[in-house]
């Protein structure tokens, strides 16, 4: 990983009526990072992605993509990114190939290049046999993969994915994870939004936790966990439990031995970090 900044956000602010959807979001994402934007429903994840990828305007603040200010150099900024939106926006009446061809035309790509890229990318996502199949006839997991292939067609350096695994079965989810890991291993920067803790924990080298438009914490999953305390002690009382955090198993056991109720000592996870910082669970 280099230290070149791929995405720079400066004080992004967005209101919908009286609701603050993004509250002065400032952060830098470095080239080659697999960056996670973790937050519950309504946290502001899609709002952030839409602003960064120029689909929506912020009320104030700045976005730089690959060094280009999106308001001053929108075309250059846009050419350096690929976007997989939260909702499936493929043309169901067209084949997989036709959907990709349309995207190539929108990006003014040469026909020969488009056809080469289609062959390459369909092989990359293991869907070569679906090239001439109508998109409406393939599974939801395949549609997601096709959206990823489409986002990569014009060879962007940065890929944005807005909750790409929501609603998929475990197998399809795993396939999407594999594709994202492969893309990132080719030094492409990934910006992934998710409300799945394990997705952020397993895939991302750095995570921003957001809640109600605010950036709560940012760091590697390991560091965020260490900051809260690597060992969690759950103390059960009646139907409820309280969690306490410690630096080591010994400290947790020592404290637990003095408490009333059933105790459980375990490793802290990102869900705990989220709960500890926001008082909310990230899951629906
Ligand atoms: N066009 C809009 N008009 C009014 N309010 C909106 C609009 N878009 C989003 N919001 C509100 O802004 C807040 C942030 O929404 P956003 O879609 O960015 O959240 P999210 O983190 O992507 O959530 P989800 O996990 O449900 O996709 C929510 O309270 C939402 O209701
Ligand atoms: Mg969303």
């Amino acid at each position: 990983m280099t230290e070149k900044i791929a995405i720079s956000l400066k004080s992004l602010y967005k209101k919908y009526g009286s609701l603050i959807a993004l509250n002065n979001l400032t952060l830098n994402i470095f080239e080659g990072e697999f960056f996670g934007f973790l937050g519950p429903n309504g946290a502001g994840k899609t709002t952030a992605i839409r602003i960064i990828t120029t689909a929506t305007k912020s009320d104030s603040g700045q976005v730089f993509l690959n060094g280009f200010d999106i308001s001053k150099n929108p075309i250059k900024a846009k050419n350096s990114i690929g976007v997989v939106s939260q909702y499936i926006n493929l043309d169901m009446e067209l084949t997989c190939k036709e959907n990709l061809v349309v995207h190539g035309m929108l990006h003014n790509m040469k026909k020969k290049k488009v056809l080469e890229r289609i062959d390459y990318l369909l092989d990359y996502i293991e869907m070569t046999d679906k090239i001439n199949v109508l998109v409406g006839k393939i599974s939801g997991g395949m549609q997601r993969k096709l959206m990823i292939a489409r986002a990569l067609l014009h060879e962007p350096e940065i890929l944005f994915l807005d909750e790409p695994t929501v609603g998929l079965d475990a197998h399809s989810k795993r396939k999407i994870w594999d594709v994202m890991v492969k893309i990132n291993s080719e030094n492409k920067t990934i910006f992934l939004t998710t409300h799945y803790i394990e997705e952020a924990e397993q895939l991302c080298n750095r995570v921003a936790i957001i809640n109600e438009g605010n950036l709560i914490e940012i760091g590697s999953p390991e560091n965020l966990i260490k900051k809260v305390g690597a060992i969690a002690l759950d103390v059960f009382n009646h139907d409820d439990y309280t969690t306490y955090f410690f630096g080591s198993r010994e400290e947790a056991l020592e404290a637990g031995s003095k408490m009333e109720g059933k105790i459980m000592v375990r490793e802290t996870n990102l869900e705990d970090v989220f709960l500890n910082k926001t008082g909310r669970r990230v899951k629906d």
Side-chain angles (χ1 to χ4, degrees), residues 248-264:
S248 71
R249 201 164 275 275
E250 291 71 34
E251 288 170 67
L253 284 169
E254 161 82 23
S257 69
K258 295 177 189 144
M259 292 188 191
E260 278 189 38
K262 197 173 154 241
I263 63 160
M264 191 172 92

Side-chain angles (χ1 to χ4, degrees), residues 238-255:
H238 304 293
D239 292 342
D240 210 7
Y241 69 96
T242 313
T243 306
Y244 303 90
F245 299 99
F246 297 90
S248 71
R249 201 164 275 275
E250 291 71 34
E251 288 170 67
L253 284 169
E254 161 82 23

Side-chain angles (χ1 to χ4, degrees), residues 46 86 162-163:
T46 298
Q86 182 166 3
D162 195 357
E163 308 213 44

